[in-house]
Amino acid sequence: MKSISIEAPAKLNLGLQITGMREDGFHSLASHFTKISLSDTLDVTLTSKKNISISCSGIEVPTDKNNIIWKAASLFKKASGYSEGISIHLQKNIPSPGGLGGGSSDAASTLLALRELLNTNLNLFEIAEQLGSDVPFFLLDSTSAFVTGRGEILKAVTLPQFHCILVNSGEQVPTPLAYRLWDQHNKALTDTQVIHNNTAYNFGAWHEGKPFPVKLDNSFFVTLQSSFPGFTGVAEKLSEVTDNWGLSGSGPVFYALFRSSAETEKAKKHLSGKFPWMFCCQSR
Ligand code: C5P
């Protein structure tokens, strides 16, 4: 039986602006996506059975058709004509929902693994778009991208290296609810021109002590504060250790960025015990 092991990295949204409402009901956005060292692992095996089976260790997630991995494998079978079975073991480390793209990354890694195992040159981007807005990004070789449209317009960029602390407010924020709340409360679209003007990939400056070269504001933060009171406390505590903090996606995970492991350790001591979940990692 042919088998492959593949890593599925988490992402951070380094800033996220909602820039428009689309006719298909989705929102257009502008955000810098970047992959980080926190990851899941998938062991993907081709089997002689006809079905798709999933097992899981680590953080508990559904192992049936509701798992996006199952949907990815199923769409791949349909598109490629492969009719035998697929068995996938998922070591789940990325909290969900988190705003870290864990499910989307698992789905993209499933597609990449199957393409490798079956040696096809199927266009995975078409399948990825059907699976979810964040899935196309995880097909890119590039670590970071400026992402627009619904999430499918990708421009690879290079950002400075960083260390980060991830924390969770402890609240559950499903993505569709976050967009619904934004529709109800806000609708203040960000002019895309403003985003481009604020985007200068100036590496030296960040490592010389200036703020991170990409604006870290997130359109969801103010909107979600009233429904998720934990957000305010997290923002206050992270502000005590750095100006370079932000909300990833629609949360509930926030990040704080640091230039060195020494700075990270100092901040970690200050923040220790103040959140239901905390994790230290790095850029890729
Ligand atoms: O594409 P994904 O499955 O991540 O989207 C989940 C939900 O989030 C969508 O059904 C939609 O309500 C909302 N969404 C949106 N605009 C986006 C991405 C997601 O409105 N760009």
Side-chain angles (χ1 to χ4, degrees):
M1 282 188 299
K2 268 173 98 178
S3 191
I4 204 169
S5 182
I6 188 167
E7 212 184 352
K11 58 91 174 146
L12 294 181
N13 290 100
L14 301 177
L16 188 158
Q17 277 76 43
I18 297 178
T19 56
M21 314 280 291
R22 296 161 48 115
E23 282 185 359
D24 60 7
F26 282 82
H27 299 71
S28 39
L29 52 85
S31 177
H32 284 87
F33 282 48
T34 192
K35 294 169 195 163
I36 54 173
S37 57
L38 171 64
S39 64
D40 293 339
T41 306
L42 287 88
D43 297 308
V44 182
T45 307
L46 302 181
T47 70
S48 52
K49 294 178 189 159
K50 301 277 178 220
N51 66 336
I52 298 164
S53 68
I54 300 173
S55 57
C56 179
S57 50
I59 298 171
E60 218 172 293
V61 288
T63 52
D64 59 10
K65 292 182 181 186
N66 292 313
N67 192 315
I68 192 169
I69 289 176
W70 193 96
K71 293 174 194 157
S74 173
L75 283 181
F76 186 96
K77 281 184 81 169
K78 222 179 262 171
S80 65
Y82 172 71
S83 59
E84 303 292 296
I86 299 166
S87 147
I88 301 172
H89 180 77
L90 169 67
Q91 168 61 40
K92 188 80 194 152
N93 304 319
I94 306 170
S96 170
L100 299 174
S104 302
S105 186
D106 294 343
S109 291
T110 301
L111 299 178
L112 290 167
L114 289 171
R115 184 171 68 179
E116 175 93 18
L117 284 168
L118 292 162
N119 198 19
T120 72
N121 48 18
L122 206 61
N123 182 345
L124 299 184
F125 281 93
E126 277 172 18
I127 306 176
E129 278 182 45
Q130 295 173 55
L131 287 163
S133 307
D134 291 351
V135 182
F137 165 71
F138 290 104
L139 294 177
L140 284 190
D141 284 337
S142 168
T143 300
S144 306
F146 183 57
V147 179
T148 54
R150 190 192 131 193
E152 79 287 9
I153 305 172
L154 307 163
K155 179 176 171 260
V157 298
T158 307
L159 295 173
Q161 296 286 303
F162 58 81
H163 294 253
C164 59
I165 298 180
L166 310 181
V167 298
N168 185 330
S169 74
E171 293 154 316
Q172 291 283 311
V173 190
T175 308
L177 172 65
Y179 277 101
R180 247 193 341 268
L181 289 170
W182 189 87
D183 286 344
Q184 284 164 16
H185 293 297
N186 202 306
K187 289 198 170 160
L189 297 175
T190 306
D191 183 351
T192 38
Q193 201 57 41
V194 173
I195 298 158
H196 288 293
N197 288 344
N198 280 300
T199 304
Y201 308 111
N202 185 351
F203 311 112
W206 152 254
H207 281 283
E208 283 156 19
K210 299 249 171 64
F212 199 76
V214 163
K215 249 169 87 75
L216 302 177
D217 301 357
N218 183 322
S219 292
F220 282 116
F221 177 62
V222 173
T223 306
L224 297 181
Q225 259 180 318
S226 52
S227 304
F228 300 97
F231 276 32
T232 306
V234 172
E236 279 168 9
K237 288 186 191 86
L238 293 183
S239 303
E240 288 167 12
V241 294
T242 179
D243 291 335
N244 300 303
W245 63 268
L247 173 68
S248 193
S250 53
V253 172
F254 286 70
Y255 57 83
L257 307 181
F258 302 96
R259 295 171 185 85
S260 66
S261 52
E263 268 187 24
T264 313
E265 278 308 309
K266 201 169 143 206
K268 193 175 148 193
K269 273 198 195 116
H270 182 82
L271 298 173
S272 180
K274 294 182 176 154
F275 305 99
W277 179 82
M278 184 160 103
F279 189 83
C280 294
C281 59
Q282 291 168 42
S283 55
R284 283 187 174 247

